[in-house]
Amino acid sequence: MVKAALAGAQARVRAGSVTPDDVVDAALAALPTGMTDVINATGVVLHTNLGRAPLAPEAVDAVVRAASGYVDVELDLTTGRRARRGRTVEDALGAAVPRAEAAIVVNNGAAALVLAALAATRGGPLAISRGELVEIGDGFRLTSILGAAGVALHEVGATNRTTLADYREAVAAGVTAVLKVHPSNFTVAGFTSSVGVQQLAGLGVPVVVDLGSGLLAADPSLPDEPDATTTLAYGASVVTFSGDKLLGGPQAGIALGSESLVESMRRHPLARAFRADKMTLAALGATLAAATTPVARMLNAKDLEPRAGTLAAGIPGAEAVATTSPVGGGSGPGVEMPSWAVALPEQLAAPLRTGTPAVVGRVHHGRLLLDLRTVPPERDAELAAAVRAAQEH
Ligand SMILES: *Cc1c(COP(=O)(O)O)cnc(C)c1O
């Protein structure tokens, strides 16, 4: 497979359509990972089916170093004794969110939520609004996941309206914690009401908040997106979120909050089943230390119109068009970001998807749109070459 990719790429170098660097990339893309390198031209920055956040180069280096040999993941080199897995990245999270007394990193957001709910409820029922019974994708509902982990759910309110009185009744009826879930992939409009974390914090039981998307602090460019710092300041006992959404890191679940709750999460037997591996911890630590991430760059990309123009000018039959795309991955529900795409005949979708590298776009009103927001600018030439190859197909 590597040989075939190399031969193909070398032929394209001779034809002048790619550079020798592209040959190296093609060879790497053909390494037997069991997965195919994809140019994401959907415009959806956090596309779960495409692996969500692409890693920052710093995180990639960290993974290579962590994966390539022995590391002190659970050993204190000064004392020679066992040390807590994930301690350095958890300290970095604590430094980034000083409101959090403690932090824990696990495998994914769902695992962080399950552990937080188990620790907060201590065997009792958990109150959740009927307006927040979220399905996160592929048929998985948060309530089924919590139920499977043995958390008894106590639903309160109606689909469109839940009041503080509903939660008060639930506390009087014996719930031992309250869960608030950020409606990350849908919006409810019209005659609605929900109860904010500040009010829930006065109920006298721990409040777990599933933020979903993982902003550490408020971001003015995503004004409707909740963040860990503000939510903890409002009185949440613990917040949970994913590492590979807006944080722009590897797949991981992060919980920040009270020392005692996070400590109970650490000691829970399921923590061992949910633990993050050394590569995840390395990539997350490097992401937190990096100046920026590909996710942040894509969300703030400003040069999309000229890039679309240049690309379209070099591809027969292509047209640069203005478009909009969602953030995806349970972030900014209902938010459409203005973007620019290269429009092509719809028939090119299949050959592009099955080419090398694979190019995945978006079919809209009978045309294939290659949205440049999610295409790294350094891959524009490769994208153009892939389109020309698909046209010759
Ligand atoms: C994405 C999301 C999850 C699940 O996180 P994973 O990291 O995919 O396990 C849970 N809750 C909300 C609100 C989400 O948006």
Side-chain angles (χ1 to χ4, degrees), residues 140-162:
F140 286 100
R141 296 177 179 166
L142 287 183
T143 45
S144 334
I145 300 171
L146 289 168
V151 177
L153 293 161
H154 181 115
E155 295 178 12
V156 302
T159 307
N160 56 330
R161 291 177 70 84
T162 302

Side-chain angles (χ1 to χ4, degrees), residues 52 108-110 136 142 181-182 184 210-212 242 244-245 252 329-330:
R52 286 199 193 146
N108 58 22
I136 53 179
L142 287 183
V181 179
H182 173 53
S184 61
D210 177 11
L211 295 173
S242 305
D244 54 354
K245 293 184 179 171

Side-chain angles (χ1 to χ4, degrees), residues 11-91:
R12 280 187 282 144
V13 171
R14 283 194 296 275
S17 64
V18 296
T19 68
D21 274 355
D22 297 331
V23 178
V24 175
D25 287 343
L28 286 174
L31 287 177
T33 60
M35 288 180 258
T36 305
D37 172 36
V38 171
I39 294 185
N40 174 10
T42 63
V44 181
V45 177
L46 299 170
H47 199 306
T48 301
N49 300 6
L50 296 177
R52 286 199 193 146
L55 291 181
E58 293 90 335
V60 174
D61 288 348
V63 169
V64 170
R65 277 181 278 127
S68 60
Y70 297 120
V71 287
D72 61 343
V73 64
E74 274 187 40
L75 183 74
D76 182 333
L77 294 171
T78 2
T79 62
R81 292 178 189 284
R82 177 178 209 123
R84 198 179 81 236
R85 172 180 281 259
R87 62 203 175 282
T88 47
V89 65
E90 287 164 6
D91 288 350

Side-chain angles (χ1 to χ4, degrees), residues 38-47 52-56 221-222 245-246 248 292-304 307 325-327 337-340 371-379:
V38 171
I39 294 185
N40 174 10
T42 63
V44 181
V45 177
L46 299 170
H47 199 306
R52 286 199 193 146
L55 291 181
S221 67
L222 294 163
K245 293 184 179 171
L246 290 175
T292 185
T293 63
V295 167
R297 274 203 308 274
M298 289 176 192
L299 289 176
N300 295 306
K302 300 277 181 269
D303 57 348
L304 303 176
R307 282 174 57 204
S325 43
V327 181
M337 286 183 299
S339 190
W340 278 84
D371 189 322
L372 295 181
R373 179 174 297 282
T374 45
V375 177
E378 62 274 14
R379 297 195 79 171

